[in-house]
Amino acid sequence: QSLRSPRFSIHEFLAPSSPSGYDMFVRKTDFDNVVKLLSDRRNTHSLEREMDVLRSCKSKNEIKVMRQAGAISGKAMSQVMRAVQPGMEEAQAQALFEYECALRGADRQAYVPVFASGKNALMIHYVRNDCVMGERDVMSVDAGCEFRGYASDITRTMPTSSDGRFTSPQRDLYEALLRTLKGCTALATARQGYTLSALHRRSVEMLHAELRDLGFHLGFGTLERILYPHYIGHWLGIDLHDTSTIERSTRLQEGMVLTIEPGIYVPDDPAYPKAFRGLGMRVEDDVAVGYEDNLVLSAEAPKEVADIEAVCAQRV
């Protein structure tokens, strides 16, 4: 039957009608035999690696969809910034984010989100989201929607104070983190030849220098063991942690999409400058790699201090 025929059904072509509940199999024994064959590791092997290679570099259309996912989440993040205030529950901010994403066409949330105010932000995967925001807290929000099958993953840190402004120590630590994010993002191009693991090493070097300028005296390994104990990012796409078999030692290629998410988590410990103790912050963008440059897919989420404070000042 011609593909141009109005009666042609692509669904029927790919999955033709079957006389039984086992699709193409007339007899259940035929179905069982195929399952048995595919389960025999002596005759079969997983195609996960081959599929991950195919999925690792996104097409232009895929990146357009991911750009939309990032825009939806970024705009929802702005609405959260406008709403948070002392006395508000973290769960209320989470509900607002999810509502704003759904309002803009998101399919669902891509993962269980983090809405961590005050010292809760010292826990990287804090997901209880059941505490009340304080007057001089900051809140780190790690959240993203899924749109047409593709995930977004954004983190922003915002003041919860009545005036919508960071304190001086909060601002200093956040700007150190933001400069690290920008420095790493600038390196995420195919031409420069970085791998994800090399990008992480550069993030450690950048953040170490930034903290030294703020008066931190860090021993060997302290930064990665205590203050920045997670990786710079991961591959992003159909899955939140996409293409898991693609090694971190793989050079960045045009079309790859990754997160870049430096963080700093300062315990309440005399080993660290007093002004920064108890502060936990992270800032994260989704980045599509190009040959000479890249595209930040989460650009709608404010991240400059002036922009965050301007949005927070619109609180009612």
Side-chain angles (χ1 to χ4, degrees), residues 5 7 14 33 36 46 56 60 67 71 74 91 102 117 119 134 144 163 181 210 223 225 227 243 245 284 312:
S5 169
R7 299 180 61 188
L14 294 174
N33 287 335
K36 183 178 179 180
S46 171
S56 62
K60 291 181 179 179
R67 178 72 184 90
S117 61
K119 292 187 178 180
D163 62 5
L181 171 73
E210 292 285 352
L223 180 59
R225 190 175 68 254
L227 301 179
T243 57
T245 68
E284 173 185 19
C312 290

Side-chain angles (χ1 to χ4, degrees), residues 291-307:
Y291 182 75
E292 292 283 353
D293 54 13
N294 55 51
L295 176 65
V296 176
L297 304 175
S298 44
E300 278 75 9
K303 63 174 179 268
E304 299 290 343
V305 167
D307 293 336

Side-chain angles (χ1 to χ4, degrees), residues 21-313:
Y22 302 98
D23 296 323
M24 297 293 291
F25 303 97
V26 176
R27 293 175 300 183
K28 183 179 184 300
T29 53
D30 294 338
F31 174 80
D32 291 339
N33 287 335
V34 170
V35 171
K36 183 178 179 180
L37 175 65
L38 294 177
S39 301
D40 185 352
R41 294 298 181 185
R42 294 171 300 176
N43 299 314
T44 63
H45 77 277
S46 171
L47 292 176
E48 182 181 13
R49 172 66 183 179
E50 287 82 356
M51 290 299 297
D52 280 355
V53 169
L54 294 173
R55 286 171 51 183
S56 62
C57 294
K58 276 62 177 175
S59 68
K60 291 181 179 179
N61 284 336
E62 285 179 295
I63 290 175
K64 284 181 181 179
V65 173
M66 296 188 72
R67 178 72 184 90
Q68 185 66 18
I72 291 170
S73 296
K75 291 173 182 176
M77 193 74 75
S78 294
Q79 294 302 317
V80 171
M81 290 180 184
R82 289 187 176 94
V84 296
Q85 56 187 299
M88 186 179 189
E89 294 182 4
E90 295 162 342
Q92 291 176 285
Q94 176 184 345
L96 176 62
F97 181 87
E98 293 176 357
Y99 166 76
E100 293 290 342
C101 286
L103 196 65
R104 291 170 171 80
D107 301 328
R108 61 187 65 84
Q109 294 299 295
Y111 52 96
V112 178
V114 173
F115 284 75
S117 61
K119 292 187 178 180
N120 294 331
L122 295 176
M123 293 179 275
I124 298 171
H125 293 121
Y126 170 84
V127 293
R128 282 171 44 193
N129 304 339
D130 61 356
C131 289
V132 174
M133 302 172 202
E135 170 59 43
R136 283 296 171 184
D137 286 345
V138 291
M139 182 169 69
S140 283
V141 177
D142 184 345
C145 75
E146 187 176 300
F147 178 72
R148 295 184 181 175
Y150 287 82
S152 59
D153 183 4
I154 306 173
T155 306
R156 292 293 185 265
T157 298
M158 61 201 71
T160 64
S161 56
S162 301
D163 62 5
R165 298 179 67 83
F166 291 102
T167 65
S168 292
Q170 290 169 353
R171 182 181 298 107
D172 289 344
L173 195 63
Y174 178 80
E175 287 183 334
L177 205 56
L178 183 60
R179 284 190 290 269
T180 301
L181 171 73
K182 290 179 177 179
C184 290
T185 300
L187 300 176
T189 68
R191 185 182 65 81
Q192 295 181 84
Y194 273 80
T195 64
L196 190 56
S197 57
L199 202 61
H200 177 70
R201 293 310 316 158
R202 290 290 293 126
S203 75
V204 172
E205 294 167 3
M206 292 176 190
L207 197 52
H208 192 283
E210 292 285 352
L211 293 179
R212 184 183 60 227
D213 291 344
L214 291 177
F216 284 74
H217 301 286
L218 303 177
F220 179 78
T222 301
L223 180 59
E224 290 178 274
R225 190 175 68 254
I226 299 174
L227 301 179
Y228 175 35
H230 60 76
Y231 221 69
I232 186 61
H234 54 83
W235 312 121
L236 185 69
I238 294 173
D239 292 324
L240 176 67
H241 289 261
D242 206 40
T243 57
S244 60
T245 68
I246 302 299
E247 296 86 356
R248 291 169 172 174
S249 57
T250 303
R251 283 194 173 194
L252 298 183
Q253 300 173 43
E254 191 171 358
M256 285 182 167
V257 178
L258 69 155
T259 66
I260 298 179
E261 49 182 307
I264 183 74
Y265 315 90
V266 187
D268 190 3
D269 187 316
Y272 309 108
K274 185 175 181 179
F276 305 113
R277 294 176 198 165
L279 288 178
M281 299 182 176
R282 187 164 63 255
V283 59
E284 173 185 19
D285 274 327
D286 303 339
V287 179
V289 177
Y291 182 75
E292 292 283 353
D293 54 13
N294 55 51
L295 176 65
V296 176
L297 304 175
S298 44
E300 278 75 9
K303 63 174 179 268
E304 299 290 343
V305 167
D307 293 336
I308 292 172
E309 292 185 337
V311 173
C312 290

